[in-house]
Amino acid sequence: MAEPGSVFAPEGTPDRNLALELVRVTEAAALASARWVGMGDKESADGAAVDAMRVLLDTVRMDGTVVIGEGEKDEAPMLYNGERIGDGSSPEVDIAVDPLEGTTLCASGSPNALAVIALSERGSMFDPGPCVYMQKMATRSEHADLLDLDRPLPETLSLIAERKGTDIRDVMVVVLDRPRHEDTVRQVREAGARIRMIPDGDVAAALLAVTDRSPVDLLWGIGGPPEGVLAAAGIRCIGGQIVARLWPRDDEEREAALDAGYDLEEVLDADRLVAGDDVFFAATGVTDGDVLQGAHYESAEGATTESLVMRSRSGTVRRVHARHDRTKLRDYARAERDA
Ligand code: VTB
C-alpha cells in the first residue's frame, strides 16, 4: 500500500505528477544558462544551470538519489552521482539530470541546448558504470522493430524507406559529427540516404527522431550513456524506441566494465534503460531547437521558456509555454530568503 502523497499510489488513485514540479526546475536552469548563450564559456553556462537547478530541486518533496548526474563527487560539487536530493519524504526515486545538455551548443549559441531531468522509481535507472560511450539508435514506434545495432546502417535505412513506401533518398538519419562515425557516414552517403550532422546534443536528436511527422527518421551513433538514459526516459513517456549497447573505448575500459559486472553484449532498450512504471520527464529549451524553443529574454523584466513535461504512466505529453516576470521573481526570491 503506497503512503498518502506518494506518486506510486494504488491503481486508480489520482496522484501527483512530479513532472509538473520538475518543469520549474528545468525552467530555472534554462533561464540561468541562457544568460551565457554565445559567450564562449561553457563552464559558466553549466555552472549557472547547476546552481539554479539545485536550489529549485530542494522544493520537490521526494527522496531522490542522483544516478545520472554531473559526475563523481570529487569532480562535481552538486548533482553528483549518488547525491541524495529532496526532503527525504516519499516517493523514493532515481534521478537522471543534465542541467545543460549541450554546454558547447550553449556557449556557441547553436541550436538544441536543453535543461533536462527525469525521475523514476528507486533502482529502476540503468547505471552506465565506467563506460564513457554507448552505441545508440532511436526511432518512432512504426519503425521500432527495425532497430538493430548489428545490421549495417544503410540496410536499416533501406528497410525504413520500404516501410514508409519511399525511396532511401527520402530517409534522414541524425548523427553526431565525430571522427568515429566517418566510415558509417560514408556508407550511408553511398547508399543515398541523407544525414543531419549535429555537433552535440543527442538527447534533443533522439526526441526528434521519435516524434511523429519528424524530418528525421532515425538517430544513430556513439554518444554518452547519460544522454542515452535521459533519452530513454523521454521515450518511455513520448513513445518510440531506443536500443543501446555500452561501447568501451579500449581494453582498460572493457576490463573495468566487465569487472563491475556489465554485460557488454547486452542490448539495452528503453524499458531496460529506465525500467520504472512511472517515469517523469521535463526538459526546457536553452537555445532554439527542433524540439523546443529556447529561453528568450524579451525585455528588461520578462523572459519566456518552452518545456516538454511528460509522464509515462498516464502518457500525458504537455508543452508548457511560460512567461517569467524577472522583477517579481527576484522580489519573491528575496522575500522567501529573508522570511
Ligand atoms: C553526445 C552529445 C552530448 O556528449 O552524447 C556527446 O549528445 C558524446 O561525447 O551533448 P563526445 O563529445 O565525447 O563525442 C555531448 O556532446 C556532451 O554531453
Side-chain angles (χ1 to χ4, degrees):
M1 189 62 183
E3 293 167 38
S6 162
V7 279
F8 308 123
E11 222 170 302
T13 316
D15 53 7
R16 244 167 106 203
N17 181 344
L18 272 164
L20 292 167
E21 296 169 53
L22 296 179
V23 67
R24 299 173 71 217
V25 174
T26 54
E27 282 175 354
L31 285 167
S33 51
R35 306 300 306 164
W36 294 92
V37 166
M39 310 272 289
D41 182 352
K42 60 183 194 166
E43 279 81 21
S44 297
D46 194 44
V50 172
D51 289 348
M53 198 175 244
R54 187 67 186 84
V55 172
L56 260 288
L57 262 179
D58 275 339
T59 69
V60 183
R61 214 157 22 84
M62 63 179 172
D63 176 1
T65 304
V66 177
V67 174
I68 303 280
E70 290 287 283
E72 298 309 315
K73 188 174 182 179
D74 49 2
E75 62 199 44
M78 278 187 281
L79 300 178
Y80 53 85
N81 302 349
E83 187 177 357
R84 297 298 283 266
I85 293 191
D87 64 359
S89 62
S90 132
E92 292 187 345
V93 290
D94 279 354
I95 304 176
V97 58
D98 198 345
L100 182 55
E101 149 59 357
T103 50
T104 310
L105 296 174
C106 179
S108 62
S110 305
N112 290 314
L114 299 176
V116 56
I117 189 166
L119 302 190
S120 67
E121 294 99 313
R122 172 73 44 83
S124 65
M125 279 183 189
F126 181 78
D127 177 348
C131 284
V132 172
Y133 289 118
M134 167 182 265
Q135 233 181 316
K136 311 173 201 175
M137 290 176 98
T139 190
R140 51 190 173 276
S141 344
E142 301 99 279
H143 308 146
D145 59 310
L146 302 177
L147 293 178
D148 184 340
L149 293 167
D150 297 314
R151 187 194 300 122
L153 184 56
E155 284 178 33
T156 302
L157 296 172
S158 294
L159 292 171
I160 291 178
E162 212 173 281
R163 177 78 53 91
K164 288 174 66 170
T166 59
D167 190 90
I168 191 165
R169 284 172 301 177
D170 298 322
V171 173
M172 173 93 82
V173 53
V174 57
V175 179
L176 278 168
D177 191 1
R178 296 289 185 278
R180 59 182 179 265
H181 295 152
E182 269 168 17
D183 273 354
T184 307
V185 163
R186 195 176 323 108
Q187 291 165 24
V188 169
R189 287 180 173 152
E190 277 166 18
R194 295 174 305 149
I195 300 179
R196 182 185 289 200
M197 209 72 106
I198 52 167
D200 279 297
D202 68 357
V203 175
L207 293 174
L208 183 64
V210 302
T211 303
D212 287 340
R213 291 184 294 281
S214 163
V216 160
D217 298 289
L218 184 74
L219 163 88
W220 178 91
I222 295 155
E227 289 82 2
V229 174
L230 281 162
I235 290 170
R236 288 291 316 277
C237 299
I238 208 172
Q241 184 58 286
I242 181 167
V243 293
R245 189 162 53 203
L246 293 171
W247 194 83
R249 286 173 299 180
D250 49 32
D251 287 345
E252 201 184 318
E253 227 170 79
R254 177 181 305 277
E255 285 310 311
L258 290 173
D259 288 349
Y262 287 90
D263 173 358
L264 296 175
E265 304 304 316
E266 184 182 2
V267 175
L268 310 153
D269 64 4
D271 283 344
R272 172 74 169 95
L273 289 167
V274 183
D277 291 328
D278 208 1
V279 184
F280 300 93
F281 180 97
T284 303
V286 176
T287 54
D288 293 338
D290 303 296
V291 179
L292 289 166
Q293 286 292 300
H296 295 171
Y297 286 97
E298 296 185 330
S299 65
E301 302 84 34
T304 58
T305 52
E306 186 184 10
S307 306
L308 260 181
V309 182
M310 317 197 280
R311 178 183 199 183
S312 69
R313 188 167 163 217
S314 58
T316 313
V317 176
R318 291 182 170 89
R319 241 168 222 279
V320 174
H321 295 261
R323 188 173 57 83
H324 306 269
D325 185 320
R326 293 197 277 153
T327 316
K328 284 188 179 171
L329 280 178
R330 258 195 308 272
D331 291 347
Y332 165 72
R334 203 169 297 126
E336 290 266 293
R337 218 178 25 244
D338 298 342

